[in-house]
């Protein structure tokens, strides 16, 4: 007998799930012996259910789904952390298995939800919460578990990756790139979650929790967005053999786990450097497997629905076999967090200075006072009228707090930085 | 109580497995509740067991392992299709679960082995047989099953990819590239399996079987190697915006499944085009997920051992939970094969012709007599002394049999192709 599914949410992802079931239901049975039936569809938009030809199983009350004794698996594709949290927790309490695509929910209330799932001996699956259709949570929870993962780095936000690709390759300003992304439907009217790095922060919290076996929530992630990036810096990076990406970084270090989201310069020969436009990729390094990368479409109805339905099919397989959840929460360690101030990497620094003798020495002393060693310096864009010049520095590895202190010292010195100019700082990533 | 493992084979992969168990055994228990014990190690080389500190559990008789009632999981990392076949089939008959890294075995005797596993209700896992440490069989059997896969294309042989990278980027000849690969330990003394495409053929047979739910064996794969490739063609491809890779291709078409291994020109912006050196990658397209790619180290003790032990840990999880195999053979369809002659794609053709008026017209007629439309033609490398010139054609899409007929016609014409010269033909892949 078919295992019955209740779908809550009929947006793009929910619609994609309905399409997959309609198209491939028979194939699932024939190829895998997986027999499922979409038994109920819930949302506030009856017209969407009509559009997909599922009006006969429509309800606008999610309690109908949770209280339906025939339903074994609830799919939550509403998004957000308020109503969705109620749906997911109530579903687990009602003895349903839950599949969700909700990154913010899992990155904020993951511990509560995993605990509820364990208490009720139900599965909670969330492959679609990171990287759209790219299988990454599956590999991290199964194929790669023989490894200690030292690093997981993602380009996990398609909106900002599209914008940075356009800014880097075609010289668009931030505002123009954003307007274009909005016009193409890649960015929302309020782009905050994307451009300020919050979406990426939720995703790297989830990935790091799994990769390092230690709970990371969104609040633990140091998060910087792309609003302050200028095309000048992207072009300069390109000239120097780098691209600029909004990276979601998780590192396991001896001093704790270091989880952050910020723009970063990446050498052009790094596997992630070729990931352009709205594509996503997750790069992970394990002590035995070495470097791996998982690439694909990070957004879009089809890609996310592929991941949601992959989870649904796996859960149905288990329901049919009558087995209890095989993999629960794996956050068994409680690793300390490293502060962004204590991280060590190379830096790109561009600043407009007053063009007069002795400036380079003053800049050099600001660096050396904080133990920062300069790897290269290029002077460019002298403006005779304004009597300013632009200096681009790349440092050797330095502690974040020291770089920030060096910059504060530059800003405090009289007549060194050009009036009203804020230095542009970008961290380097990769080897 | 720990689930006991018997390891058969102590080569590089077997050694890697021992190291993983020694290093991470406690972590597996703490993080995943997976409790395993290496109970027996079998090979013909006692000194290897001593080297790894497992001489106390060594045997040189594999029957000791198969007849050991305490052992639940047998790991076969011997390779080859004779002795390994006996070990795997006998182990399944003896009621052991089996994990193997053996591509030739699975691509040749897969049906027999899957059937034996099903009859005995035991698991057979073989992630390490394709792409070294890259999770690809796992994703195809789990995360991606909501899709109909239309295409799976791999760079799955590190030896040839290293050679082609050196030939393409640094102009080495085939012989020099091979000698270098052998010196670095990337190629064996007898390189046949690699350079003739047999290793890649086994891997694409396995991937296609899973992706298309239809049995493909090595014998079904049209296989061409890289021996005839010249650095001239690799350089010309590069000038034209392509790279040349040994691709393992599986396509699902309305006319059947098309599975083959041959050198192919790939546009430089294709995700696979950036996969250089000994790295491997598998690119797959699904009807909902769109384009995906899985990248990593295709060879090496650590990478392959990571995949083998990933499988072992999953099987142990199932043994501990007391559940029967969840995923058996998924080759439920019996799709026809498409012949290479019937495949359609674009072609690169370089030939040395006699340099005299009328030659281009003769060449053009050979193409048009077989319905082949030319996309571009470049004349290069005129040799006044020999009175020859070199022509490089790229065609529009054409049927393989028609291209081959056109070339046969060119060869049959008097005084058109330069004496004793064989045209170089490379198929184009990608969009």
């Amino acid at each position: 007998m078919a295992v019955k599914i209740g779908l809550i949410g009929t947006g793009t992802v929910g619609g994609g799930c309905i399409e997959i079931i309609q198209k491939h239901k028979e194939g699932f049975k024939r190829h895998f012996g997986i027999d499922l039936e979409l038994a109920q569809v819930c949302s506030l938009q009856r017209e969407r259910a009509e559009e997909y030809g599922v009006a006969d199983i429509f309800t606008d009350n999610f309690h109908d789904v949770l209280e339906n004794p025939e339903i074994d698996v609830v799919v939550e594709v509403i998004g957000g952390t308020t109503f969705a949290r109620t749906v997911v927790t109530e579903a687990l309490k009602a003895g349903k298995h839950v599949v969700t695509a909700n990154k913010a929910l899992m990155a904020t209330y993951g511990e509560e939800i995993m605990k509820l799932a364990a208490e009720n001996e139900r599965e909670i699956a969330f492959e679609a919460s990171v990287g759209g259709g790219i299988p990454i949570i599956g590999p991290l929870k199964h194929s790669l578990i023989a490894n200690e993962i030292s690093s997981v780095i993602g380009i996990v936000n398609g909106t900002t990756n599209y914008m940075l690709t356009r800014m880097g390759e075609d010289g668009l300003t931030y505002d123009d790139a954003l307007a274009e992304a909005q016009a193409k439907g890649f960015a929302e009217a309020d782009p905050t979650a994307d451009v300020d790095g919050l979406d990426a922060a939720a995703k790297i919290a989830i990935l790091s929790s799994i990769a390092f076996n230690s709970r990371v929530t969104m609040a633990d992630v140091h998060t910087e967005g792309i609003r302050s990036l200028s095309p000048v810096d992207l072009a300069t990076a390109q000239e120097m053999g780098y691209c600029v990406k909004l990276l979601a970084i998780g590192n396991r270090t001896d001093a704790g786990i270091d989880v952050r989201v910020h723009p970063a310069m990446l050498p052009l020969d790094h596997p992630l450097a070729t990931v352009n436009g709205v594509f996503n990729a997750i790069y992970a390094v394990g002590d035995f497997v070495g470097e791996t990368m998982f690439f694909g479409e990070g957004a879009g109805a089809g890609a996310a629905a592929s991941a949601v339905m992959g989870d649904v099919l796996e859960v149905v397989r288990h329901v049919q076999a009558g087995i209890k959840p095989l993999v629960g929460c794996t956050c068994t360690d409680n690793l300390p967090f490293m502060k962004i101030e204590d991280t060590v990497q190379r830096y790109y620094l561009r600043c407009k200075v007053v063009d007069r003798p002795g400036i380079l020495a003053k800049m050099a002393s600001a660096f050396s006072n904080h133990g920062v060693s300069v790897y290269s310096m290029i002077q460019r864009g002298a403006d005779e009228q304004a009597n300013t010049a632009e200096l681009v520095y790349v440092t050797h590895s330095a502690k974040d707090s020291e770089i920030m202190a060096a910059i504060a010292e530059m800003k405090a010195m009289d007549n060194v930085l050009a009036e009203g100019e804020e230095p542009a700082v970008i961290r380097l990533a990769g080897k």
Side-chain angles (χ1 to χ4, degrees), chain A:
Chain A
M1 217 178 68
V3 173
K4 294 193 170 55
I5 313 295
L7 176 70
I8 302 183
T10 54
T12 50
V13 183
C17 292
I18 298 172
E19 280 183 31
I20 289 178
I21 293 172
Q22 289 170 341
K23 188 170 173 196
H24 291 322
K25 193 174 170 337
E26 292 312 311
F28 298 150
K29 211 186 292 182
R30 188 169 81 251
H31 300 141
F32 314 116
I34 298 176
D35 192 5
L36 62 79
E37 181 192 326
L38 185 59
Q40 212 155 19
V41 172
C42 172
S43 83
L44 299 177
Q45 302 172 282
R46 166 171 283 274
E47 65 278 15
R48 289 280 294 171
E50 281 164 5
E51 203 178 300
Y52 284 103
V54 292
D56 56 320
I57 52 170
F58 177 81
T59 173
D60 59 6
N61 182 348
F62 76 93
H63 290 290
D64 290 348
V65 179
L66 302 197
E67 287 163 16
N68 184 335
E70 295 206 314
I71 285 179
D72 277 315
V73 185
V74 169
V75 179
E76 180 274 306
V77 282
I78 317 166
T81 55
T82 51
F83 184 58
R85 182 183 175 195
T86 306
V87 166
V88 167
T89 54
E90 292 301 314
L92 289 169
K93 285 181 197 161
K96 312 299 185 193
H97 302 284
V98 174
V99 174
T100 175
N102 197 322
K103 64 219 158 223
L105 182 69
M106 293 309 296
T108 311
Y109 301 108
E111 187 169 6
E112 172 193 26
I113 292 166
M114 300 296 275
K115 210 175 144 205
L116 265 179
E119 283 168 8
N120 292 281
E121 294 192 329
R122 289 300 177 272
E123 299 198 36
I124 170 79
F126 47 96
E127 177 65 80
S129 65
V130 182
I134 305 169
I136 178 62
I137 291 176
L140 284 175
K141 286 205 163 191
H142 297 275
S143 315
L144 294 175
I145 58 170
N147 295 271
E148 179 172 288
I149 305 291
S150 56
S151 197
V152 51
I153 304 181
I155 293 174
V156 287
N157 181 270
T159 307
T160 49
N161 203 49
Y162 176 83
M163 290 173 61
L164 292 177
T165 301
R166 291 287 282 149
M167 290 169 70
E169 293 190 354
D170 308 300
L172 266 67
T173 62
Y174 170 86
D175 289 330
D176 288 345
L178 176 59
E180 187 181 284
Q182 285 170 326
K184 291 199 175 217
F186 299 154
E188 300 188 44
D190 175 3
T192 308
D194 294 321
V195 300
D196 288 340
L198 306 174
D199 172 81
K203 292 167 177 169
I204 195 65
I206 294 170
L207 291 178
S208 299
S209 296
I210 299 169
F212 306 140
N213 299 112
S214 189
R215 175 74 52 200
V216 180
T217 70
M218 267 187 85
D220 301 316
V221 183
H222 173 86
T223 305
E224 301 173 22
I226 66 162
R227 286 189 203 257
S228 64
L229 284 179
S230 137
V232 175
D233 296 313
L234 274 66
T236 309
Q238 198 83 28
E239 284 166 26
M240 292 162 40
Y242 293 84
C243 60
V244 178
K245 299 288 186 188
L246 181 67
L247 294 188
I249 299 174
N251 290 315
R252 181 200 297 266
T253 79
D254 291 340
I257 50 178
D258 154 27
V259 191
R260 45 193 160 120
V261 171
H262 56 67
M265 276 168 55
L266 206 56
L268 290 175
D269 63 357
H270 191 283
L272 287 171
T274 57
V275 178
N276 287 324
V278 292
F279 281 98
N280 277 201
I282 296 99
Y283 168 87
V285 182
D287 57 351
F288 284 88
V289 76
E291 294 179 275
T292 60
M293 189 176 79
F294 304 80
F295 166 93
E297 292 182 21
S306 162
V308 169
M309 287 306 303
D311 276 346
V312 168
L313 291 164
E314 200 68 28
V315 172
V316 172
R317 231 177 212 161
H318 297 169
V319 171
Q320 288 185 173
I323 59 176
K324 290 184 182 172
L326 286 165
V327 187
C329 181
T330 54
C331 291
T332 49
D333 295 354
N334 197 3
L335 299 176
F337 287 101
M338 195 174 183
K339 288 203 178 95
I340 185 76
E341 292 80 7
D342 295 329
T343 63
V344 170
Q345 55 244 303
R346 302 175 66 200
Y347 292 81
Y348 164 98
L349 175 73
R350 178 180 56 84
C351 44
K352 197 171 266 185
V353 297
V354 179
D355 194 6
R356 64 176 173 84
I359 285 291
L360 288 184
K362 293 213 169 194
M363 292 292 287
S365 77
F367 281 121
S368 74
N369 287 345
H370 296 280
V372 177
S373 163
V374 171
Y375 166 76
S376 69
M377 193 278 287
I378 317 169
Q379 182 163 346
R380 41 179 286 169
D383 180 338
E384 283 189 29
Q385 197 141 18
N387 195 35
T388 60
E390 207 155 57
L391 303 179
V392 176
Y393 291 93
V394 174
T395 74
H396 283 290
S397 283
K399 207 170 149 184
D400 208 85
S401 57
E402 298 293 356
I403 280 284
M404 298 307 159
I407 293 170
E409 184 170 328
M410 289 167 198
K411 288 164 79 170
M413 289 189 293
D414 270 353
N415 212 14
V416 171
L417 296 189
E419 187 119 355
E421 288 285 335
E422 188 67 19
V425 189
I426 306 176
R427 297 182 184 91
L428 270 65
K431 273 160 294 190

